[in-house]
Amino acid sequence: MPTSTASRAEAALAGALRDAIGRLGRRMRHHANHPELSLGQLAALRSLDLHGPMSPSEMATHERVQPPSMTKIVARLEELGYVSRAAHPQDRRQVIVTISTAGAGLLEDDRRRRDAWMAQRLGVLDPEELAALRAALPALEKLSRS
Amino acid sequence: MPTSTASRAEAALAGALRDAIGRLGRRMRHHANHPELSLGQLAALRSLDLHGPMSPSEMATHERVQPPSMTKIVARLEELGYVSRAAHPQDRRQVIVTISTAGAGLLEDDRRRRDAWMAQRLGVLDPEELAALRAALPALEKLSRS
DNA sequence: TATTGTTATACTCTATAACTATA
DNA sequence: TATAGTTATAGAGTATAACAATA
């Protein structure tokens, strides 16, 4: 049974991956390079910057959180002035969330901060490891949204 | 400035990685394939299985959590009968945590469960993506403990 | 005094359930 | 009735601070 054998061989990958992701997430949450925003808030903002204005539901789907969680994330981002909420022109139930100039500025700042973060964190990796990480990024993206 | 340029180019990697890790961690925590134990508890147990008996402090260092967090993890694992705690023969301040037969059995069971989990999660990836993920695992491990 | 481990406490993030407004 | 969004509430996980026991 080649399939079973293959998948059993890769179960070790799944386990090690799960542990590493858990530890990494924990570290990232607590030693955030941007203390004002959580990982989830930052990811939502980046998604908005990348894909343009959208509704909270779409954002929730994209970031794989439940709608009430996204409500809170958007509320916090709006409170800080990084996004604005506007009524949908036709359907008044819907809300359109748009990134603000300040929000885009924060992401720009975040990019600069990541340079420093890299020196500390990704800096422990050698070029081969960095390349491996970059090559695996599409798979991680896909996995994180599947 | 080659260094600055390189690190700026890789800041995008850091950001995308951070977002993907965040989403993945969230998904893994909530759709756990082993509902009885959290990611952290499972990782601690795996670490114990891999490296042998050790003190809670060592476990905390290894898993990158604070000592009180590990106290709770170990307490839960002991409550469920997956580890046992014993006094250090010389230094009575220390505790030695050892994985139990049931704990080892749970990990064995977990390995089997991961086969099924794979079919659902890692199954969305094609062979190239799986290979990329496997190649990046050492870097992720290193990063998660650095 | 320093170290190991624990207890007490609080905070963040996320989820589910129930509700409001609109279609 | 169905859908978008929100509010209310609860639970899990982790941290920091304070404490007890031992070295």
Side-chain angles (χ1 to χ4, degrees):
Chain A
M1 287 175 181
T3 304
S4 173
T5 303
S7 94
R8 195 167 302 133
E10 277 152 12
L13 169 64
L17 195 59
R18 186 184 54 192
D19 290 357
I21 297 296
R23 276 191 303 272
L24 252 177
R26 205 154 46 224
R27 300 214 65 184
M28 286 176 171
R29 262 191 308 284
H30 273 270
H31 303 96
N33 64 332
H34 212 304
E36 194 182 33
L37 295 183
S38 71
L39 284 187
Q41 290 159 356
L42 213 35
L45 196 60
R46 280 167 57 84
S47 173
L48 220 45
D49 187 49
L50 203 60
H51 301 101
M54 56 182 141
S55 72
S57 296
E58 289 176 283
M59 293 174 72
T61 301
H62 209 254
E63 291 304 314
R64 289 284 180 173
V65 296
Q66 292 303 308
S69 300
M70 191 49 76
T71 291
K72 288 193 77 173
I73 289 174
V74 170
R76 177 65 179 154
L77 290 175
E78 185 184 31
E79 187 181 53
L80 294 169
Y82 298 138
V83 305
S84 60
R85 293 162 70 258
H88 182 105
Q90 278 84 42
D91 187 340
R92 286 191 308 182
R93 291 173 305 182
Q94 285 192 47
V95 169
I96 302 299
V97 184
T98 306
I99 190 169
S100 69
T101 309
L106 179 135
L107 290 184
E108 189 51 54
D109 179 59
D110 183 59
R111 270 170 216 119
R112 281 193 296 274
R113 283 171 190 255
R114 266 180 272 145
D115 282 354
W117 183 83
M118 287 255 318
Q120 300 167 27
R121 294 287 169 269
L122 294 191
V124 305
L125 304 181
D126 56 45
E128 287 75 19
E129 290 170 324
L130 266 179
L133 216 49
R134 190 176 300 106
L137 186 57
L140 285 169
E141 289 273 356
K142 197 167 166 182
L143 205 55
S144 76
R145 293 200 163 96
S146 72
Chain B
M1 287 172 178
T3 303
S4 173
T5 302
S7 94
R8 195 168 303 134
E10 278 151 12
L13 169 65
L17 196 60
R18 185 185 55 193
D19 290 356
I21 297 296
R23 275 192 303 273
L24 252 178
R26 205 153 48 224
R27 301 214 64 184
M28 287 176 171
R29 263 190 308 281
H30 274 272
H31 304 97
N33 64 331
H34 212 304
E36 194 181 34
L37 295 184
S38 71
L39 284 187
Q41 291 159 355
L42 213 36
L45 196 59
R46 281 167 57 85
S47 173
L48 221 44
D49 187 49
L50 202 61
H51 301 101
M54 56 183 141
S55 72
S57 297
E58 287 176 283
M59 294 174 72
T61 301
H62 210 253
E63 291 305 313
R64 287 284 180 172
V65 295
Q66 292 303 309
S69 301
M70 191 48 78
T71 291
K72 287 192 75 173
I73 289 174
V74 170
R76 177 65 179 154
L77 291 174
E78 185 184 34
E79 187 182 53
L80 294 169
Y82 298 138
V83 304
S84 62
R85 293 161 70 257
H88 183 106
Q90 279 82 42
D91 187 341
R92 285 191 308 182
R93 291 173 306 181
Q94 284 191 48
V95 170
I96 301 300
V97 185
T98 306
I99 190 168
S100 70
T101 310
L106 178 136
L107 290 183
E108 191 49 56
D109 178 58
D110 182 60
R111 270 170 214 120
R112 282 192 296 274
R113 283 171 189 253
R114 266 180 272 146
D115 283 354
W117 182 85
M118 286 257 318
Q120 299 166 27
R121 294 286 169 270
L122 293 190
V124 305
L125 303 181
D126 56 47
E128 288 76 18
E129 290 171 324
L130 267 178
L133 216 50
R134 190 176 301 104
L137 186 57
L140 285 169
E141 289 274 357
K142 196 166 165 183
L143 205 54
S144 76
R145 292 199 164 96
S146 71

